Amino acid sequence: MQRTKQLVSTTFLGIGSILAMGAVGCKVSPTDPSLAQTDDGRACPGPGALLDDGEDSNNQTFVAGGRGGYWYTFMQGDGTEVWPQAGALGGTFEMSPGGADGTQWAARFKGVVGQGAIVLGGMGMNFVDPKGGYDASKYGGVEFWAKKAPGSVGKVRLKVPDVNTDPDGGVCSECFNDFGTDLIIGDEWQHYIVPFSSMKQMKGWGKPRKGSIETTALYGVQFQVSEPGATYDITVDQLRFTGCK
């Protein structure tokens, strides 16, 4: 089923410079294969932990474990462009051909970031529809494959909105400073593992500021580019939860 998602971000965000992340008590790169051997990063068996692999080629995420949301794009700032076109502008998300490991389809967003203090372009999924919190406390993190097109900026922030940072949670007075981590995406497909325990809010803003992400009420996953003037073309595939408990 195809459905247009209406979303306009009013996110007060930017790309940081942190290229390393904490995981399981130490600093480990999200591309380090050793994360797959940790409690929070190990692969989950079966299809229940799959968020989406795009192989049905529609804009709905994989339906499993009480999940079944939709993909969307978002943008902010004069001069910012994003494809697929954001739902608020009448667009509907669509998968792109050419996935990781020889698969047929993947999620891709591309465009140009405008100039200004608060500018961004991004892509995300909601875990449930209608949008709401999802209890992911039995998992330890997320994994995915990602690459950029030649000439695209590689600085991308992975964000996981929760009940304390998403305005729909009814808690935050200064919203959108979601827990996440900053990534550097290369021109070839690469595997990333990001434990929830390694995710941090950006420094200096956001209310409330919690010590850790609230895994009992997660709203989805987002990938965001916030470098003014940057051209971006990012593809993501095979998103899954990790660390089944």
Side-chain angles (χ1 to χ4, degrees):
M1 177 174 65
Q2 299 288 318
R3 181 179 298 184
T4 298
K5 304 304 291 177
Q6 302 295 321
L7 180 73
V8 177
S9 174
T10 56
T11 315
F12 290 82
L13 293 170
I15 284 293
S17 60
I18 300 174
L19 305 183
M21 51 172 278
V24 199
C26 60
K27 295 285 186 179
V28 181
S29 166
T31 60
D32 190 326
S34 69
L35 280 171
Q37 307 305 315
T38 65
D39 288 344
D40 287 343
R42 67 173 180 264
C44 294
L50 178 64
L51 293 171
D52 205 19
D53 58 8
E55 291 307 282
D56 54 12
S57 74
N58 66 20
N59 68 340
Q60 187 176 26
T61 63
F62 189 72
V63 178
R67 301 184 307 276
Y70 288 83
W71 287 92
Y72 57 85
T73 57
F74 55 95
M75 54 183 280
Q76 182 172 329
D78 291 341
T80 300
E81 300 175 2
V82 66
W83 180 92
Q85 189 177 49
L89 300 177
T92 300
F93 192 88
E94 59 185 271
M95 290 293 166
S96 294
D101 197 27
T103 57
Q104 292 187 342
W105 301 93
R108 179 185 183 187
F109 71 111
K110 62 181 180 177
V112 178
V113 180
Q115 297 285 351
I118 304 172
V119 288
L120 56 90
M123 171 182 76
M125 64 161 68
N126 291 329
F127 288 151
V128 296
D129 185 72
K131 181 184 175 183
Y134 176 77
D135 186 354
S137 58
K138 68 179 180 179
Y139 301 110
V142 294
E143 66 174 331
F144 53 90
W145 289 78
K147 71 171 184 176
K148 71 178 184 68
S152 167
V153 67
K155 295 180 180 180
V156 177
R157 183 164 177 83
L158 167 72
K159 292 156 36 70
V160 180
D162 71 2
V163 66
N164 294 312
T165 64
D166 191 294
D168 284 0
V171 175
C172 56
S173 60
E174 190 174 334
C175 305
F176 300 111
N177 191 356
D178 306 312
F179 284 83
T181 193
D182 296 312
L183 307 171
I184 296 297
I185 308 296
D187 288 355
E188 303 294 332
W189 283 112
Q190 196 162 23
H191 185 217
Y192 296 81
I193 300 174
V194 186
F196 293 135
S197 60
S198 74
M199 297 181 182
K200 307 295 182 185
Q201 289 180 288
M202 299 183 74
K203 295 181 179 180
W205 67 281
K207 293 180 182 180
R209 294 189 61 84
K210 297 289 187 176
S212 60
I213 192 170
E214 182 51 73
T215 58
T216 62
L218 302 184
Y219 281 76
V221 175
Q222 296 178 348
F223 299 87
Q224 179 177 292
V225 176
S226 302
E227 183 174 321
T231 297
Y232 61 91
D233 189 342
I234 308 295
T235 306
V236 178
D237 198 15
Q238 298 182 23
L239 283 84
R240 301 175 181 271
F241 283 124
T242 61
C244 298
K245 301 173 183 178

